[in-house]
């Protein structure tokens, strides 16, 4: 696919096949993929049959990797280099399929490079433990050792549309680092980045049986991805309804579920208001507001709320949005027109319930403007549910207890941002916010691709992602013991 990206620039459709253990397969029945901004056909992907999915898992399970740690390190460093060397063309592809602007998709390619670099380094690390056994009166002269092994069966991975390349990188890199074999189904909305990444990994020297990409209609193939007998673990990133469906369907499979969020930025009365407004804007509109950790609620102390809102509107006005291919734009479209219409109707509903619209709520096709609302009642759907788009709803709070109560009032618990310099506030937020991460004076989405990341409550089961934690989830821990005088 990398060699065909010129066709994309000439406006010729990309007709792709699946990558099953390196073989190009499928394509008798296809799904059209269109550009959310222009509406033009970008290309087609195969609609897999259940038999093709079964073939992919069987082939994956039957392959046992003999790659050394150094082999895996080299393959992933090479993949990172190939991504970096082709960053501009790859970012064009992501922009075409997702409507995300060039600034966002260039950043995304850089993040995927980081993922492979971290995974390459981690594949060199042996984190086995040693336990001496002469620790108690009934101890023995032995030692117990731990080692991590790849799963016996394959891994099933399912990814969403909002980071078409980086979400896939976060699944496959830890799988390679641990010598596992993975079958991945990207969303049918943005499937090309995943197919491209498979080609890059094969080019970098990955044995093709270690990574397959299948595509299709989830109504036909999703259940096979969740129940196939040759598969031991499902790793899913996406929304809560499908995550909960998986939790019920993938019985006796290990499950790693990274689901939605409703992350707050909390701005206290002592905060640097200029800094807080800058963080709020970047957290709200980056990636067209479509990040699981985007700022989805702004909980602001009433003493400084007027000044904060003034700056928020001023900084929102400065956001340039429109043609995602224009390198000067800060925001492109959202994923499709139905999503944009959904934001419009949720914002209108909030206004009917007493919120004040200060900027935006303008829609043209899948293009939805950055939008600011003040005095948003905490119970309206715009903030009680996840709104996966570029909306900045301000909720005013009285004090820290009120801020924590509002923050914890939704079913979600992914990440959070806290703007204050008071240590008593900071320690209380870190202890009392029901979330997976608390970032002080940073956006909720801040992390390294290496560090543990993930949510609780409806945002996930508490298992973390990030390269290091994902590697642990993808392994069986075996112990062995030896006599030791
Ligand atoms: P989605 O849940 O609609 O779809 C995700 C994937 O599930 C797609 O590949 C889709 O084809 C597949 N799918 C559809 N039906 C299925 C079924 N019955 N069984 C199994 N898989 C099925 O999510 P989306 O709209 O693509 O992405 C947006 C959502 O993802 C948001 O809620 C966002 O917060 C969440 N997200 C979470 C994280 C995180 O790490 N916590 C990161 C990014 C996005």
């Amino acid at each position: 696919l990398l060699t065909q990206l010129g066709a994309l620039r000439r406006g010729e459709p990309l007709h792709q096949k699946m990558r099953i253990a390196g073989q190009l397969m499928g394509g008798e029945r296809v799904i059209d993929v269109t550009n959310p901004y222009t509406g033009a056909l970008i290309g087609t992907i195969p609609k897999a049959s259940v038999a093709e999915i079964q073939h992919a898992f069987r082939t994956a399970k039957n392959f046992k990797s003999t790659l050394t740690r150094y082999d895996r390190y080299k393959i992933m460093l090479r993949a990172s280099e190939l991504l970096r060397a082709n960053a501009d063309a790859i970012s064009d592809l992501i922009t075409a399929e997702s409507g995300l602007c060039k600034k966002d998709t260039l950043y995304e390619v850089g993040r995927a490079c980081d993922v492979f670099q971290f995974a390459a380094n981690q594949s060199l690390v042996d984190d086995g433990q040693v336990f001496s056994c002469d620790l108690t009166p009934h101890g023995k002269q032995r030692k117990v050792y731990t080692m991590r092994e790849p799963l016996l069966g394959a891994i099933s991975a399912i990814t969403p549309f909002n980071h078409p390349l980086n979400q896939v990188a976060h699944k496959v890199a830890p799988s390679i680092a641990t010598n596992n074999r993975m079958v991945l189904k990207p969303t049918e909305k943005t499937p090309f980045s995943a197919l491209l990444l498979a080609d890059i990994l094969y080019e970098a020297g990955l044995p093709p049986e270690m990574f397959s990409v299948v595509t299709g209609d989830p109504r036909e193939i999703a259940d096979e991805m969740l129940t196939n007998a040759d598969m031991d673990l499902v790793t899913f990133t996406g929304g809560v309804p499908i995550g909960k469906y998986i939790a019920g369907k993938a019985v006796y499979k290990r499950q790693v579920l990274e689901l939605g969020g409703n992350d707050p930025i909390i701005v206290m009365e002592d905060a640097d208001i200029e800094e807080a407004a800058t963080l709020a804007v970047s957290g709200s509109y980056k990636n067209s507001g479509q990040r699981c950790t985007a700022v989805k609620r702004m909980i602001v102390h009433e003493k400084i709320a007027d000044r904060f809102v003034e700056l928020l509107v001023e900084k929102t006005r400065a956001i340039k949005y429109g043609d995602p291919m224009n390198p000067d734009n800060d925001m492109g479209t959202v994923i499709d027109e139905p999503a944009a219409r959904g934001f419009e109707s949720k914002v209108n509903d909030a206004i009917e319930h007493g919120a004040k619209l200060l900027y935006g709520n303008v829609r043209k096709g899948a293009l939805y403007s950055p939008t600011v609302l003040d005095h948003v009642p905490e119970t309206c759907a715009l903030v009680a549910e996840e709104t996966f788009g570029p909306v900045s709803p301000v909720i005013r709070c009285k004090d820290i207890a009120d801020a924590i109560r509002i923050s914890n009032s939704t079913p979600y618990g992914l990440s959070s941002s806290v703007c204050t310099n008071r240590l008593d506030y900071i320690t209380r937020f870190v202890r009392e916010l029901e979330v997976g991460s608390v970032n002080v004076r940073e956006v909720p989405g801040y992390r390294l691709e290496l560090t543990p990341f993930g949510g609780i409550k409806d945002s996930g089961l508490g298992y973390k992602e990030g390269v290091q934690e994902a590697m642990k989830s993808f392994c069986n821990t075996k112990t062995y013991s030896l006599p030791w005088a």
Side-chain angles (χ1 to χ4, degrees), residues 387-410:
T387 298
F388 207 57
V391 183
S392 294
V394 176
I395 305 168
R396 296 179 177 225
C397 68
K398 293 191 204 48
D399 54 25
I400 183 166
D402 202 27
I404 291 170
R405 182 193 58 75
I406 296 168
S407 177
N408 290 345
S409 68
T410 81

Side-chain angles (χ1 to χ4, degrees), residues 222-236:
D223 283 359
E224 192 60 35
M225 296 290 300
L226 306 178
T227 56
N228 185 279
D230 293 318
M231 173 273 287
D232 288 355
L233 180 148
V234 180
T235 173
F236 170 80

Side-chain angles (χ1 to χ4, degrees), residues 158-163 167 171 185-189 216-219 221-223 225-226 236-243 245-246 249 257-262 290-293 296 335 386 388 412 414 447 453-455 459-460 465:
I158 302 175
T159 50
F161 69 77
N162 59 319
H163 287 295
Q167 298 289 5
K171 302 295 183 204
K185 189 199 82 59
T187 166
E188 54 288 1
K189 293 177 184 164
D217 182 341
R219 287 168 301 188
I221 58 169
D223 283 359
M225 296 290 300
L226 306 178
F236 170 80
T237 302
V240 174
I242 296 176
Y245 174 79
I246 293 173
K249 186 81 190 172
L257 305 175
E258 293 295 341
L259 310 181
N262 198 350
Q290 303 167 122
R291 295 185 75 182
C292 49
T293 52
K296 296 186 181 119
I335 189 63
E386 178 183 42
F388 207 57
Y412 297 91
L414 192 54
R447 58 165 166 153
F453 165 81
S459 299
E465 272 205 339

Side-chain angles (χ1 to χ4, degrees), residues 39-151:
L41 180 77
I42 309 168
T44 58
I45 48 157
K47 246 187 204 178
S49 65
V50 169
E52 285 167 322
I53 303 295
Q54 288 168 341
H55 168 71
F57 278 111
R58 173 60 48 86
T59 315
K61 180 179 181 174
N62 287 343
F63 183 78
K64 300 291 175 221
S65 170
T66 53
L67 295 178
T68 65
R69 290 179 183 276
Y70 181 61
D71 295 334
R72 288 171 258 159
Y73 166 82
K74 274 195 313 188
I75 290 166
M76 287 196 279
L77 271 196
R78 179 82 189 111
S80 177
E81 285 163 11
L82 284 168
L83 284 169
R84 208 177 293 285
N86 295 283
D88 194 40
I90 296 171
S91 103
D92 282 358
L93 180 69
I94 309 175
T95 289
E97 63 181 356
S98 66
L100 294 170
C101 70
K102 283 288 288 180
K103 280 183 190 169
D104 286 334
T105 57
L106 279 167
Y107 180 65
E108 169 145 358
V109 179
R111 287 185 66 190
C113 293
D114 288 358
V115 172
F116 282 104
Q117 211 166 309
F118 284 127
N121 291 335
Q122 286 303 118
S123 64
L124 300 178
V125 177
D126 188 337
D127 68 350
Q129 291 175 288
V130 186
F131 298 82
S132 294
C133 298
D134 56 347
L135 307 182
T136 63
H138 54 271
K140 280 192 170 181
Q141 295 298 311
R142 297 187 69 79
K143 282 183 195 283
V144 176
Y145 298 78
T146 69
M147 63 186 276
R148 292 191 197 275
E149 293 188 320
L151 303 178

